Amino acid sequence: MKGKRLSRRRVLRAGATALGGGALALGSGTAGEAAPAQAPAIGTGTQTGRTFRGLVRHDATLDVQEMRLLAIDPRQVVIRSLAVAPCYTIVRGALGTNAIRRAEVPNHCGFGVVEAVGAMVKRVQVGDKVVVAGTSQCGQCYQCLHGRPDYCQFTFFSNAPGVEPFPPFAQFRDGTPVYAQAGIGGMSEIMTAFEEYCVPVFTDLPAAQLTLLGDQLASGFAAGHAEMVFQPGSDVVVFGAGPVGLGAVQAARVMGAGQVIVVDPIKYRRDFAMKMGATVTLDANAEGDGIVERIRELCRGPNDRRFAGGVSWGRAANAVISRGADFVVEAAGLQALPPKVETQPDPTNVKTVQQAWDCTRAGGHVMLMGFTLQPVSFPGASLALFGRTIHPGQQGGLHVMRDIPRYVKLIEKGKIDAQSLITKRYTLDQSRQAVQDTADRTIITGVIEFAS
Ligand SMILES: [Zn+2]
Ligand SMILES: [Zn+2]
């Protein structure tokens, strides 16, 4: 484990370790599985040793470098990248100027075509188009078998402290090993991934749209119907109109929500949210601490009669909790670097999490998606008495093998608008700028398209 680099997986790994350290070794090949019936594709020798280019964080730099592919694990897949969208969670680590010796291709999702498979791979074939998702779905672990592949153990509980969970996938000409962030990377012409992360899709949709289903858009959309399910006609609040929050806004639109209240400090993002399905937007900076009461007022119902939600029974201090939103998604997250647009009212995001909790009505549901690295406290009695359900926001509860194929259908039907989320396109040589623009928040989503 290194430094204070910001990534969802690193944060959750740290949490998992703290919870008991029940770590599994990430083996190369699973004991007890049958021997492969056919020769592995890598046996042809056409993949190992091939050279390709990618964005690499190494020493104090983030540059496009040439590297050479190493042999893959029997359960890994070699993918020729077509498009990738850098995630905001990687920007601080990727753009850092501290010297790090471990060379790494940033990001944790991607999209491309399978060019070779290891001997034990069953899920995908050479020629398949695959979304490489930020979360695996192995189908065999305790979490997958209990209906929570959004916490698939292959992703979250597979490394012991101090142990490199994924082998390097490439090396520089001088032999320096190159790793892929979270075992996935994505910002290189060739990526390798364990098959558990690969979701084959069968569609002619553009790669630039499909790559959004590996992480941001899919996570945000899942927030409204995977584990937490927006009800038709309900009041939905979304904090954060970035690529994740706008996915949740689209889920609210598709699921038939009533009001869709979007909170963001950035004006162009609030304006854009209105095009995606928001019914009202609020400026997080202008509203300040009054935002909770403002949302309660917006959700108070048509009149003061009790069945309308306008007033509480009695005058107890806690009576206010009967007002608020039915569903709240906190997708703002912390501010990793100062943006070139409006700044967040609380860069740590602690306040936003508390506001999301507070503006949820008693009996309502709140999903916490954004990172907060500081402790967040709630009155203990509120946890016991307010009847609010907290949903963890890890990829929005996405079940990648179940949900990504149906999101493809929703894009094809025009129900999900992926195209509009792409603000800017880049070549691989411009990929560092894509990370910088993501950090600056001057774009919603930047997509790097690889020359084919
Ligand atoms: Zn991400
Ligand atoms: Zn699993």
Side-chain angles (χ1 to χ4, degrees):
M1 304 291 281
K2 58 179 184 178
K4 292 187 176 177
R5 296 197 46 194
L6 176 67
S7 84
R8 179 192 51 192
R9 190 158 294 106
R10 217 170 279 285
V11 168
L12 289 171
R13 273 195 188 129
T17 304
L19 283 171
L24 296 170
L26 179 65
S28 57
T30 307
E33 288 209 22
Q38 60 192 43
I42 55 169
T44 63
T46 57
Q47 298 295 327
T48 305
R50 68 185 283 187
T51 57
F52 61 98
R53 300 165 73 236
L55 190 68
V56 181
R57 173 82 164 90
H58 186 224
D59 290 332
T61 62
L62 177 68
D63 287 318
V64 175
Q65 305 268 2
E66 185 174 286
M67 62 199 107
R68 192 184 303 273
L69 188 66
L70 296 173
I72 57 172
D73 181 277
R75 288 198 344 275
Q76 276 186 317
V77 178
V78 178
I79 299 147
R80 177 167 52 84
S81 297
L82 296 177
V84 65
C87 176
Y88 186 77
T89 57
I90 67 145
V91 299
R92 185 153 64 187
L95 294 170
T97 53
N98 55 316
I100 58 167
R101 297 179 63 184
R102 181 181 178 278
E104 183 180 84
V105 174
N107 220 38
H108 45 249
C109 62
F111 177 77
V113 177
V114 174
E115 295 218 325
V117 295
M120 296 176 76
V121 169
K122 297 172 184 167
R123 185 178 293 182
V124 298
Q125 301 175 1
V126 171
D128 283 352
K129 288 189 267 191
V130 290
V131 174
V132 182
T135 303
S136 59
Q137 183 168 353
C138 77
Q140 300 175 34
C141 73
Y142 191 91
Q143 299 292 345
C144 283
L145 293 173
H146 288 76
R148 292 307 297 259
D150 48 329
Y151 286 90
C152 175
Q153 289 167 242
F154 191 78
T155 299
F156 292 105
F157 305 106
S158 57
N159 65 317
V163 173
E164 187 68 61
F166 296 100
F169 82 114
Q171 63 184 25
F172 292 144
R173 197 174 290 277
D174 68 1
T176 302
V178 182
Y179 295 83
Q181 187 169 13
I184 297 171
M187 300 184 72
S188 53
E189 291 171 328
I190 299 293
M191 62 188 300
T192 65
F194 279 84
E195 67 170 327
E196 288 82 355
Y197 291 98
C198 297
V199 180
V201 292
F202 303 91
T203 176
D204 293 324
L205 285 170
Q209 296 184 34
L210 292 167
T211 198
L212 307 186
L213 297 181
D215 191 10
Q216 302 99 318
L217 171 57
S219 302
F221 195 86
H225 84 103
E227 292 293 334
M228 182 170 85
V229 182
F230 294 158
Q231 297 299 308
S234 60
D235 288 333
V236 172
V237 173
V238 178
F239 285 87
V244 176
L246 290 166
V249 171
Q250 296 207 46
R253 186 190 70 225
V254 170
M255 299 295 279
Q259 288 193 95
V260 183
I261 301 165
V262 174
V263 183
D264 198 287
I266 304 170
K267 182 173 188 313
Y268 87 85
R269 290 191 170 189
R270 292 198 303 274
D271 294 343
F272 189 73
M274 293 299 288
K275 295 179 184 154
M276 292 287 105
T279 57
V280 59
T281 63
L282 299 173
D283 179 350
N285 285 323
E287 299 292 336
D289 291 338
I291 198 159
V292 171
E293 194 52 35
R294 181 76 188 276
I295 290 169
R296 285 176 177 155
E297 279 301 299
L298 286 167
C299 300
R300 73 197 301 272
N303 53 50
D304 285 344
R305 297 162 70 181
R306 290 192 176 98
F307 56 74
V311 296
S312 291
W313 203 286
R315 297 179 181 279
N318 284 346
V320 70
I321 65 167
S322 67
R323 296 190 291 126
D326 301 302
F327 296 93
V328 178
V329 176
E330 190 287 297
L334 60 78
Q335 186 173 286
L337 292 170
K340 282 191 175 168
V341 292
E342 297 91 328
T343 57
Q344 291 178 208
D346 174 12
T348 70
N349 206 42
V350 168
K351 260 193 176 180
T352 314
V353 172
Q354 288 172 324
Q355 289 165 350
W357 166 257
D358 284 337
C359 74
T360 305
R361 71 164 168 83
H365 296 256
V366 56
M367 177 174 282
L368 304 175
M369 300 189 79
F371 280 164
T372 304
L373 300 180
Q374 309 295 325
V376 181
S377 63
F378 303 105
S382 70
L383 289 167
L385 296 176
F386 288 7
R388 295 167 180 153
T389 301
I390 298 178
H391 299 263
Q394 143 55 20
Q395 282 223 274
L398 185 72
H399 297 197
V400 297
M401 283 294 284
R402 179 195 67 183
D403 294 332
I404 288 176
R406 57 184 181 181
Y407 295 174
V408 169
K409 291 181 198 168
L410 289 175
I411 296 174
E412 288 175 335
K413 286 170 68 80
K415 298 285 187 185
I416 294 178
D417 181 355
Q419 174 69 27
S420 297
L421 298 173
I422 304 168
T423 316
K424 199 169 173 184
R425 295 164 192 259
Y426 305 81
T427 64
L428 175 60
D429 285 315
Q430 299 166 330
S431 56
R432 190 189 191 288
Q433 189 60 45
V435 177
Q436 185 66 57
D437 291 346
T438 303
D440 291 342
R441 290 184 156 160
T442 51
I443 55 173
I444 300 287
T445 307
V447 172
I448 295 147
E449 295 178 299
F450 295 87
S452 52

